[in-house]
Amino acid sequence: MESVSELLTEQEAAIYDRQIRIWGADAQRKLSKARILVVGITGVVAETCKNIVLAGIGSLVLMDDSPMTFEASAANFLVPFDELEGQGNSIATVCASSLRDFNPMVQVSVEEGGISSKPDEFYDRFDAVIMGRSSITLRTQVNEACRKRPHRVAFYSVDCRGTCGSLFVDLQRHSFTSKKAGDDKAAQQDISFPSLQEALNVPWSSFNKRTSKLLFALRIIDQFEVGVGRRPGQLSSQDLPDLISYRGKMCAIQKVPESFVPENLLQKLASVGGTELPPVCAIIGGILGQELIKAMSCKGEPLKNFFFFDASDGKGIIECVVPSQMNDH
Amino acid sequence: MGSEEERIAIEKEKVLMVGAGGIGCELLKTLVLTGFKHIHLIDMDTIEVSNLNRQFLFRKSHVGQSKAKVAREAVLKFRPGVDIVAHHGNVKNTEFDIDFFKQFSVVLNGLDNLEARRHVNRLCLAAGVPLVESGTTGYLGQVTVHIKGKTECYECQPKPAPKSYPVCTITSTPSKLIHCIVWAKELALAKLFGDKSQVSDLDVRTSVDGKSITSEVENDDVKFFELRSGESFQQFAARVFDRIFGYNIEIALQNEETWKARRQPDPLYLDKILPTQQEEEGSAAEENGNGVEIEQHPTVSAMATLGLKNPQKIWDVQENARVFLESIQLFFKRRSKDIGKLVFDKDDQLAVEFVTAAANLRAHSFGIPMQSLFEAKGMAGNIIHAIATTNACIAGLIVLEALKLLTNRTEQCRMTYCVEHPTRKMLLVPVEPAEPNPHCYVCSETPLVLEVNTVTATMRDVIEKVLKRKLGVDSPVIMQGSSLLYETGDDLEDDMAAHYASLLNKSLALYPTPITTGVVLTVEDYHQDFRCSLHVKHRETFDEETEPDGILVTGDIASVINAEQPTLPTKTPAADDEDLFNKEENGHGDDNKDDDDDLVMFTPETTAGTKRKLEEDENLLVEEKRLRIEEPPVMV
Ligand SMILES: [Zn+2]
C-alpha cells in the first residue's frame, strides 16, 4: 500500500491531467506500477502499446525477434519509414524506440528469444501479458504459465483478421471498484475468470443463437492452422474446403448442426488470411488498451472474457464464456 | 473491404480532416495506414502539455506549435509518400468556403465544439460532400454519417449543450463564460485549495518565438501559489490576483500567433480595479473572522461579509474583484482544514463564490459578458475529459465509415455508439442512420450560394434582386445565426420598422456582424412556408453583359422552387421551440448570445385564416413564381 501513498510527480500530474480527472490519481499511481509483457507485435498490438504507453503504464517489455519487413509493418505505425529499408533490426527493437519517444516516463525494453523458451519464473517479472497473433497451442500454454505464478499475471490475447477482431481476457481473480449508475460511492467487487483452456472446453451446445459466430469460426481456424501446421494467418480462399471439413468434424464433436458456423464467415476469414485492417486494429487496440488500464488500476468492471468485432456489421460484442460450475453471475 | 481494388480507389480520393486533436491524431494515423494518400488537415490550435497523454503525434518539444503542422510532419516520418496539406487556421475562416469543400470526396470531423461542427455540417450540405462526424467524452463516443438527402444532417436534431471543452480554449483562448468557469473551477480553485499533485495549467502556457517557456512557468508555479512567510492573507490574495489575471495574460499576449484572428485579452491589475479600497476590503474578513474556525463551513460566505445579497445580480468588475479577494481570505481564515484537499462542490457556497468571481474576472479580461452567481453555479456542472483509448476506437470507426462512403456502400453506413457499460452485450453499438428531418432548417432545402460584392451591395439589393426577383420570396425574414436582420409585416412595431429601414441601405460588409464570405443568411417567408439558406460569397467584379445585377444566386434553384410549393405546415412547434421562437422574436439586437443549444427552427405560426387563403391561392402563386424565374441563373 505504500506505493499508493506516493505522490505523482509534477510532470506526471501535468501530462496525465485529463485522464486523472477521469479515473483519479489513485488509479494513475497503480497504473504507473504495472509491468506488461508483449509477445508478438502485430498492428493491433502496436495500437494497444501506444494506448497504454500514453496512459502512463509502468513498464513494457517487447518480445518479437522477427525481422522488419514491409508486410510486418503494413498496419504498424510504430515503424518509421527508414526502418523498412531493412537495417536488420527486429520489430521489437524498432517499436520499442518509437514507444519510448511517445512517453519518456514509461520504461520500454526488448527481450530476445521465443516465449516458449522462457522458464515459468520469467512471468514473475510481469503483472500482465499481451499475446499477439499466435497458435492456439502457444496461447493456452502461456495462459497456463501465467496462472501458475504466485502473484496474479493477467493474460490477454488479441488478433485482427480483415474486418474481424477478437480479444480474450483472463484476470484469474480480480478485485475492482466501480460506480454503479445512481450510486455515488464506488463499491469493491470481486470477479473470477476461467482460463483460456477452460473457456474452450465449454460445449457449443450450451450457447444460444445470439452468440457471436466469430467465437466458433475462429476456433475452427485455430484448429485448422494447428492441425495442418500453418503459421497463424497463413491461409487463403483455397483452404475453404479444408475449413469446411474441419467445421464438419468439430460440429459433430460438439453435437451442433454444421449451420452453427456459417460458411460465408469461414470464407471471409480464409480469404483475408492474416491481413490486418488498420481501422479494425485501432478499434480493437482501443478496447484492449482500456481493458488493461481498468485491470491494472483495479478501477472499473473488466470485460469478461471474449470480445468480437466485425466491421461488416459494426457490432462489438462481449461474450462471457465460462464453465457452468463457475458461472458466478 | 480491404481488397486491392478498394485500396487503389482510396488512394485517389482526397479527404478533409477537420481537427488535429485527440481524435484527429488517431484519425490521421489510421487514414494513412489504411492507404489514403491525399489529406487536408485543418486545426487552429497549438499544442499544450496536457495534450500529450493522448495526442500521440506530439512531443513536449512541440508545445506551442501548430497541431496541424506538427501532426503532418509526424505522420510523414512513417509514411513519407503521403500528400498531406496542413492548414493552421479556423475552419470558419472564409478561405474554407464551399468551393474549398467541393474538392473533397468526404469530410471527417474530429472537432471539439458544437459551433464548428454546425459550420462544417452546413458547408458539407452546401458542397454536397458526405460528412463523418464524431465526438468523445470519457469512455463514451459516437460516429455518425451525414449524406445530404439520404440521412439526417448534423443539425436535424437539436443538440444538447456540449459537455467537454478543448483544453487550449480553457487555458488560453476562452470565448464563452463556460470556458472561464471551467478554468476557475478546474484550475484556479483546484490550484489554490485543492490537492496540488492533481492540478496543472493554471498558468496560461505559451511559447515565444517557437521556444517553449512552459518549463520556467512550471518551476516557480508550485511555490507561487503558496502563502509566503510573513505574508497576510490579503497580500497573498492580491498577489494571486495580479498573477493570474495580469501577468499571465501579458505572457499569453506574447504569443502573437494565437491572437492573429482573435480579440486580445486585457490584463487586469488590482491597483487599476480597486485603486483605493484594497486595505479596507482586506480588513472586512479580519473583523468578521475573529480568527475562529467555524465548523459548518458551507455557511461561510464572501457575499455575506461584503453585503452582497442577490445571487441573481451580475456583479460589476469591482464587486467580482472584492469577492475574489474575500473568498480567498475566508478559505484561509475559516476553511483552513480544507486547503490542500478542496474539491469543488456546487453546494459549497464559498467555492461557488470564488469560482463565479474568478470566472467573471477572466471573462472580463477576454471581453466575454459576465454572469450572476446563480447562473455561474448552474454552469459549473461536471466536465468530462477525453482519453486516448476512446479516441482510438472512434478514429477507427470514422475510417470504416469513410471507406463505405468512398466505395459505394453507403447503404451499409451506420452510426456507432461506443459505450462504457455494455448494452445487449455490445460495447460498440451500430444503429441505422436516421432519415433527414423534413423540417430541419439547415438541410431540408437546397442551400444556395449568393455571389455578391459585399462592400458595394446593400441589403435592399439582396432583397429586391435576389429574394424577390430570383427566389420569389414575398415577405422575407432574414436571419444571420440567431439574430434578426430584416422582417416585414403589418403587425411590425414602428420603431422596429424604422430600424430595419435604416439598415436596408447599409452595405453588407458594414452590418454589425459583417455579411461577407462564409456568412450564412437564413431567409424565410412565413406566408409561403418557405425557407432557405444563402451562403454568402464575396466577389469583386461581375460581367456587365451576362451579370447585369452584379449579384448572383447559384445552386440548384429548381429544387428550391419545388420545395417551396405552398403546403400547410405539418409540424406544430414543440413547446420549447415555441418558447425559443418567442424569445428570439423579443430579443432583437441581442446577437452576441450564445446560440449553441438554440434550435433555430422557425415554424410559422400563421393564423388558420392565412393558411386557408394560401391554400386557395396555391395555383396562382406557383404560376407566378415560375414566371418570375424565367431567366435561368448561372449554375455552379
Ligand atoms: Zn438537417
Side-chain angles (χ1 to χ4, degrees):
Chain A
M1 282 298 111
E2 83 288 347
S3 64
V4 172
S5 65
E6 287 167 27
L7 291 178
L8 294 169
T9 66
E10 191 77 355
Q11 189 188 25
E12 286 171 324
I15 288 186
Y16 304 135
D17 184 87
R18 301 305 153 213
Q19 63 199 42
I20 290 171
R21 287 166 197 279
I22 291 179
W23 53 63
D26 185 49
Q28 186 67 44
R29 281 186 282 264
K30 286 181 182 153
L31 199 56
S32 69
K33 305 284 176 223
R35 305 158 301 169
I36 314 289
L37 172 66
V38 176
V39 183
I41 305 168
T42 51
V44 65
V45 172
E47 286 281 347
T48 309
C49 291
K50 171 210 67 189
N51 292 335
I52 59 177
V53 164
L54 288 173
I57 206 89
S59 66
L60 207 58
V61 172
L62 305 182
M63 286 180 77
D64 195 329
D65 293 343
S66 26
M68 190 51 66
T69 60
F70 187 79
E71 191 194 22
S73 68
N76 186 342
F77 58 93
L78 298 178
V79 181
F81 187 75
D82 47 18
E83 289 289 347
L84 293 178
E85 306 295 287
Q87 299 185 358
N89 289 324
S90 72
I91 291 185
T93 309
V94 172
C95 293
S97 141
S98 294
L99 287 168
R100 278 183 210 115
D101 201 26
F102 285 172
N103 188 348
M105 290 187 284
V106 176
Q107 284 212 326
V108 185
S109 54
V110 173
E111 175 78 28
E112 290 182 355
I115 187 69
S116 38
S117 70
K118 301 290 173 190
D120 282 2
E121 295 74 33
F122 175 69
Y123 296 98
D124 288 340
R125 290 163 50 190
F126 306 102
D127 300 299
V129 175
I130 304 170
M131 280 197 92
R133 180 176 297 161
S134 46
S135 74
I136 188 69
T137 322
L138 188 57
R139 273 179 278 153
T140 44
Q141 272 172 17
V142 171
N143 180 228
E144 290 308 320
C146 290
R147 290 192 143 243
K148 283 190 206 129
R149 305 320 306 158
H151 83 284
R152 194 274 303 270
V153 182
F155 175 87
Y156 296 86
S157 64
V158 63
D159 198 10
C160 289
R161 295 175 181 226
T163 59
C164 302
S166 64
L167 196 56
F168 169 77
V169 182
D170 175 15
L171 301 183
Q172 302 173 32
R173 266 178 303 283
H174 183 63
S175 289
F176 64 97
T177 56
S178 86
K179 277 186 188 174
K180 287 238 166 91
D183 260 357
D184 273 352
K185 293 219 169 107
Q188 175 90 24
Q189 292 177 59
D190 296 296
I191 185 173
S192 51
F193 288 71
S195 70
L196 179 56
Q197 189 59 59
E198 285 167 329
L200 296 180
N201 291 343
V202 174
W204 289 9
S205 54
S206 68
F207 292 98
N208 67 32
K209 271 186 186 157
R210 287 209 297 275
T211 305
S212 171
K213 298 297 180 203
L214 274 172
L215 175 63
F216 314 111
L218 290 171
R219 291 266 342 255
I220 292 170
I221 303 268
D222 278 339
Q223 290 303 319
F224 166 79
E225 286 174 349
V226 169
V228 304
R230 294 283 178 85
R231 202 157 40 81
Q234 190 193 31
L235 75 167
S236 70
S237 300
Q238 292 175 343
D239 296 312
L240 187 62
D242 286 342
L243 285 173
I244 288 171
S245 96
Y246 265 79
R247 176 181 71 170
K249 280 185 253 171
M250 291 172 74
C251 286
I253 295 166
Q254 297 284 350
K255 300 191 181 66
V256 294
E258 287 196 19
S259 60
F260 204 72
V261 190
E263 186 176 324
N264 59 2
L265 187 54
L266 290 176
Q267 159 72 48
K268 185 163 83 175
L269 288 165
S271 66
V272 296
T275 308
E276 290 184 291
L277 281 187
V280 176
C281 293
I283 293 164
I284 301 296
I287 302 275
L288 177 52
Q290 194 53 51
E291 286 306 316
L292 271 152
I293 292 165
K294 277 198 250 175
M296 295 299 107
S297 64
C298 302
K299 188 136 193 215
E301 182 168 1
L303 183 162
K304 181 181 168 183
N305 54 348
F306 284 90
F307 180 76
F308 298 102
F309 175 75
D310 189 346
S312 305
D313 62 12
K315 289 180 186 166
I317 301 175
I318 298 173
E319 293 294 351
C320 180
V321 182
V322 295
S324 51
Q325 70 272 15
M326 69 177 285
N327 211 327
D328 54 3
H329 285 325
Chain B
M1 199 181 295
S3 69
E4 195 53 30
E5 302 88 74
E6 284 194 1
R7 200 174 170 90
I8 290 161
I10 290 159
E11 282 183 3
K12 288 191 223 132
E13 306 288 348
K14 198 165 167 183
V15 302
L16 173 63
M17 271 182 61
V18 191
I23 294 174
C25 280
E26 294 287 338
L27 181 55
L28 184 60
K29 168 262 297 168
T30 306
L31 278 176
V32 168
L33 287 178
T34 306
F36 285 87
K37 292 267 189 270
H38 306 282
I39 303 166
H40 278 237
L41 174 59
I42 304 176
D43 197 304
M44 69 190 291
D45 289 336
T46 50
I47 297 159
E48 309 242 349
V49 172
S50 55
N51 297 153
L52 303 179
N53 76 323
R54 61 195 187 284
Q55 300 176 15
F56 75 101
L57 297 175
F58 309 144
R59 304 286 167 269
K60 209 159 186 182
S61 58
H62 296 136
V63 169
Q65 297 181 43
S66 153
K67 284 188 178 178
K69 289 179 178 167
V70 174
R72 174 184 176 273
E73 284 155 23
V75 164
L76 288 181
K77 270 187 196 150
F78 71 93
R79 289 295 183 275
V82 184
D83 159 36
I84 304 174
V85 181
H87 304 270
H88 178 56
N90 190 337
V91 69
K92 288 161 110 178
N93 288 351
T94 51
E95 59 186 296
F96 308 121
D97 57 7
I98 296 176
D99 285 340
F100 175 83
F101 273 70
K102 275 187 179 159
Q103 63 183 306
F104 302 103
S105 311
V106 65
V107 174
L108 311 175
N109 268 0
L111 280 164
D112 49 21
N113 69 88
L114 194 53
E115 270 178 33
R117 287 189 171 109
R118 289 172 70 157
H119 183 84
V120 172
N121 178 49
R122 290 170 192 201
L123 279 159
C124 285
L125 287 167
V129 179
L131 168 67
V132 184
E133 174 60 76
S134 68
T136 65
T137 47
Y139 302 109
L140 311 178
Q142 70 177 62
V143 173
T144 56
V145 181
H146 306 285
I147 311 164
K148 185 174 158 186
K150 286 190 178 170
T151 71
E152 62 178 14
C153 84
Y154 178 70
E155 293 172 271
C156 273
Q157 306 300 332
K159 294 284 175 291
K163 281 186 180 147
S164 67
Y165 300 93
V167 174
C168 50
T169 306
I170 302 304
T171 57
S172 322
T173 55
S175 59
K176 294 193 169 144
L177 187 67
I178 184 66
H179 304 148
C180 301
I181 288 176
V182 172
W183 174 87
K185 181 185 131 177
E186 302 270 310
L187 303 176
L189 181 83
K191 191 80 171 188
L192 288 172
F193 309 120
D195 177 355
K196 289 190 168 49
S197 71
Q198 288 197 36
V199 290
S200 63
D201 289 347
L202 177 55
D203 281 286
V204 177
R205 301 277 165 76
T206 186
S207 66
V208 180
D209 302 325
K211 180 179 168 284
S212 172
I213 61 160
T214 302
S215 53
E216 287 146 52
V217 175
E218 262 176 352
N219 286 340
D220 75 335
D221 202 351
V222 191
K223 274 185 240 137
F224 189 90
F225 294 103
E226 285 167 3
L227 189 68
R228 291 172 186 163
S229 66
E231 193 179 40
S232 73
F233 299 144
Q234 192 231 331
Q235 286 167 330
F236 171 73
R239 188 162 58 83
V240 168
F241 185 107
D242 284 348
R243 167 72 169 222
I244 65 179
F245 300 116
Y247 171 80
N248 283 346
I249 299 294
E250 305 259 17
I251 296 290
L253 284 169
Q254 291 173 24
N255 191 353
E256 286 169 17
E257 191 68 24
T258 309
W259 311 109
K260 255 185 193 161
R262 292 186 178 92
R263 178 197 176 279
Q264 297 198 355
D266 307 309
L268 306 180
Y269 288 99
L270 206 50
D271 58 354
K272 299 264 167 30
I273 292 171
L274 300 171
T276 55
Q277 295 174 32
Q278 275 191 63
E279 285 311 307
E280 355 167 346
E281 285 308 319
S283 59
E286 304 279 354
E287 286 159 19
N288 292 304
N290 289 333
V292 180
E293 288 273 341
I294 294 169
E295 284 306 313
Q296 314 97 304
H297 63 73
T299 59
V300 176
S301 161
M303 279 177 77
T305 57
L306 293 170
L308 294 165
K309 295 212 166 65
N310 183 1
Q312 312 260 12
K313 181 182 173 280
I314 299 174
W315 303 326
D316 62 25
V317 181
Q318 286 77 23
E319 285 168 329
N320 276 301
R322 286 193 195 102
V323 172
F324 180 84
L325 299 173
E326 185 72 14
S327 58
I328 290 177
Q329 293 173 68
L330 284 172
F331 269 116
F332 279 101
K333 287 168 190 294
R334 309 262 202 103
R335 300 273 302 274
S336 60
K337 282 179 190 160
D338 291 334
I339 292 175
K341 58 182 186 207
L342 188 75
V343 175
F344 179 82
D345 175 354
K346 67 178 168 26
D347 297 315
D348 178 343
Q349 173 68 18
L350 192 59
V352 172
E353 289 171 346
F354 172 87
V355 165
T356 304
N360 275 337
L361 289 164
R362 185 166 171 83
H364 183 70
S365 170
F366 282 83
I368 300 163
M370 302 193 290
Q371 262 300 353
S372 68
L373 177 121
F374 178 81
E375 290 292 336
K377 182 176 170 177
M379 291 166 85
N382 207 16
I383 290 104
I384 304 170
H385 297 281
I387 46 175
T389 49
T390 313
N391 286 341
C393 284
I394 290 300
L397 291 166
I398 294 172
V399 174
L400 289 178
E401 294 308 318
L403 288 171
K404 293 177 197 170
L405 287 167
L406 298 178
T407 54
N408 297 315
R409 292 180 291 127
T410 52
E411 75 289 347
Q412 293 176 23
C413 284
R414 292 289 177 272
M415 58 191 291
T416 307
Y417 295 97
C418 183
V419 297
E420 184 179 1
H421 304 290
T423 51
R424 288 178 296 131
K425 300 198 297 184
M426 282 189 276
L427 281 180
L428 300 169
V429 188
V431 177
E432 283 218 32
E435 304 256 297
N437 172 1
H439 295 284
C440 172
Y441 82 103
V442 180
C443 72
S444 63
E445 266 88 16
T446 308
L448 301 172
V449 181
L450 179 71
E451 290 189 35
V452 60
N453 185 327
T454 55
V455 179
T456 57
T458 63
M459 186 57 88
R460 188 186 296 281
D461 294 332
V462 175
I463 292 168
E464 296 300 325
K465 293 177 179 170
V466 176
L467 303 187
K468 295 200 172 177
R469 211 189 301 166
K470 291 259 170 28
L471 299 181
V473 174
D474 203 32
S475 322
V477 173
I478 306 170
M479 312 270 306
Q480 182 179 0
S482 60
S483 67
L484 205 44
L485 298 182
Y486 181 78
E487 62 180 331
T488 50
D490 298 339
D491 51 349
L492 205 58
E493 302 281 345
D494 286 350
D495 58 340
M496 285 319 294
H499 171 68
Y500 291 133
S502 75
L503 281 173
L504 271 182
N505 294 323
K506 231 186 218 313
S507 79
L508 299 176
L510 291 179
Y511 262 66
T513 309
I515 301 168
T516 182
T517 303
V519 166
V520 181
L521 297 177
T522 309
V523 178
E524 308 212 4
D525 187 325
Y526 295 164
H527 295 289
Q528 298 174 350
D529 190 19
F530 168 83
R531 60 184 68 80
C532 73
S533 37
L534 288 177
H535 294 251
V536 178
K537 188 175 172 185
H538 174 80
R539 190 169 139 193
E540 282 297 330
T541 53
F542 291 85
D543 187 325
E544 279 182 20
E545 288 274 309
T546 57
E547 305 158 335
D549 285 342
I551 185 164
L552 275 187
V553 60
T554 63
D556 194 1
I557 303 252
S559 73
V560 176
I561 296 160
N562 292 337
E564 192 203 349
Q565 305 265 354
T567 46
L568 288 171
T570 51
K571 179 184 176 282
T572 43
D576 287 350
D577 302 3
E578 206 166 6
D579 284 344
L580 186 78
F581 179 69
N582 294 333
K583 189 172 78 193
E584 291 297 331
E585 204 174 37
N586 298 333
H588 302 298
D590 179 19
D591 45 351
N592 286 329
K593 228 167 71 9
D594 170 14
D595 64 347
D596 263 8
D597 44 8
D598 284 358
L599 168 66
V600 193
M601 194 197 299
F602 292 90
T603 310
E605 277 299 280
T606 46
T607 63
T610 319
K611 285 175 190 169
R612 189 140 308 125
K613 189 160 169 265
L614 194 67
E615 206 168 28
E616 283 161 15
D617 291 342
E618 180 176 328
N619 292 334
L620 180 68
L621 221 63
V622 172
E623 270 310 306
E624 211 184 335
K625 263 176 231 142
R626 288 217 171 107
L627 285 172
R628 280 183 197 157
I629 308 182
E630 265 176 345
E631 28 175 342
V634 179
M635 298 292 178
V636 180

